Amino acid sequence: MDTLSLVFKVLHNAVSNSSDLSKYGKINLEGKAGGRLRQSPAAMSLLTDAGFIIVESDLVLLEVIDATEATLSTVVAQRCASSASAPAPAPAPAPAPAPAPKLSMKQQANRDREERERLERLAAQNKRSKPNKLSFKQQALKDKDEADATNSSLKKKEEKAELLKKVEEDNHVRKNDENWSTGTAGDKSKGFAVKTFRDRQGEDSSS
């Protein structure tokens, strides 16, 4: 306990127990606490200002007066100011990490094998995720195949459109040519032209 806190305790006990000053208003200057007060001129000055007097080897307060309470208030203010200006205690250092347990030769070998397998799996995953780069010749062949496939698809679409056109013409003739029959019709599916009666006999059969 610092000297200022000791003065505060003496004054606080005296003010709080003003009816029993024979016990709480008397300090033996030869004792441990009294010896610390006697060695501090500032502490002795505060206590005498509060009304304490020296009687032989004792410091005695006969009665609590206004000066006693005023001095107590002063000590309280000084303690608050001292606490506010005191630096915060440094944080306790972090405990040192416990050393890793030493592995046996077999355990170390197993750990090395697991690490090697893990790295091999990562390498395989990276290889799968990266497409193989084609050579110039391979890229040219790939482009040609894609172009041929596109041309073939377009040709099939054109052939289908032509066939649909011929079928549509055939349907039109069936509906509109009164002389149409299966014998006079060509085979649209084989690409033969459809000839109507007028195509086969001429515009005027009587001429």
Side-chain angles (χ1 to χ4, degrees):
M1 182 184 297
D2 62 276
T3 305
L4 189 62
S5 297
L6 182 58
V7 172
F8 166 77
K9 184 176 181 181
V10 170
L11 292 174
H12 182 267
N13 287 341
V15 172
S16 299
N17 300 277
S18 57
S19 61
D20 193 6
L21 292 178
S22 60
K23 179 178 180 181
Y24 294 100
K26 187 176 181 180
I27 303 169
N28 182 8
L29 295 176
E30 301 295 334
K32 184 177 180 180
R36 289 180 58 191
L37 293 173
R38 188 178 71 250
Q39 293 175 2
S40 173
M44 293 298 292
S45 176
L46 285 170
L47 292 174
T48 54
D49 288 346
F52 280 86
I53 58 175
I54 298 176
V55 178
E56 296 182 354
S57 61
D58 295 328
L59 196 61
V60 179
L61 180 65
L62 298 178
E63 62 176 335
V64 174
I65 56 179
D66 293 342
T68 309
E69 295 180 351
T71 304
L72 177 60
S73 298
T74 301
V75 172
V76 170
Q78 290 179 1
R79 290 186 71 205
C80 291
S82 177
S83 299
S85 61
K102 188 175 181 180
L103 302 178
S104 66
M105 292 182 63
K106 182 177 180 180
Q107 290 173 325
Q108 187 63 50
N110 289 335
R111 176 170 291 186
D112 293 342
R113 177 178 54 80
E114 292 173 355
E115 181 64 16
R116 185 171 59 256
E117 291 175 350
R118 185 182 71 83
L119 294 176
E120 290 174 354
R121 287 194 299 270
L122 288 175
Q125 290 175 359
N126 291 336
K127 186 176 181 180
R128 287 195 299 269
S129 63
K130 295 180 180 179
N132 294 329
K133 187 175 182 180
L134 300 178
S135 66
F136 181 80
K137 183 177 180 180
Q138 289 173 327
Q139 186 64 48
L141 291 174
K142 182 180 178 183
D143 293 343
K144 182 178 180 301
D145 291 341
E146 291 177 353
D148 291 344
T150 302
N151 292 335
S152 176
S153 176
L154 290 174
K155 186 176 180 181
K156 288 180 180 180
K157 289 182 179 179
E158 291 174 356
E159 291 175 351
K160 184 177 180 181
E162 184 66 24
L163 181 59
L164 290 174
K165 182 179 179 181
K166 290 178 180 180
V167 171
E168 185 178 352
E169 291 176 355
D170 186 36
N171 290 335
H172 179 76
V173 171
R174 291 185 187 191
K175 293 179 181 179
N176 297 286
D177 191 341
E178 58 188 12
N179 296 310
W180 182 89
S181 68
T182 56
T184 62
D187 189 348
K188 282 286 186 178
S189 63
K190 295 181 180 179
F192 298 125
V194 176
K195 292 185 179 181
T196 64
F197 180 80
R198 292 184 176 87
D199 293 332
R200 292 168 60 87
Q201 302 298 329
E203 185 68 25
D204 188 354
S205 61
S206 62
S207 57

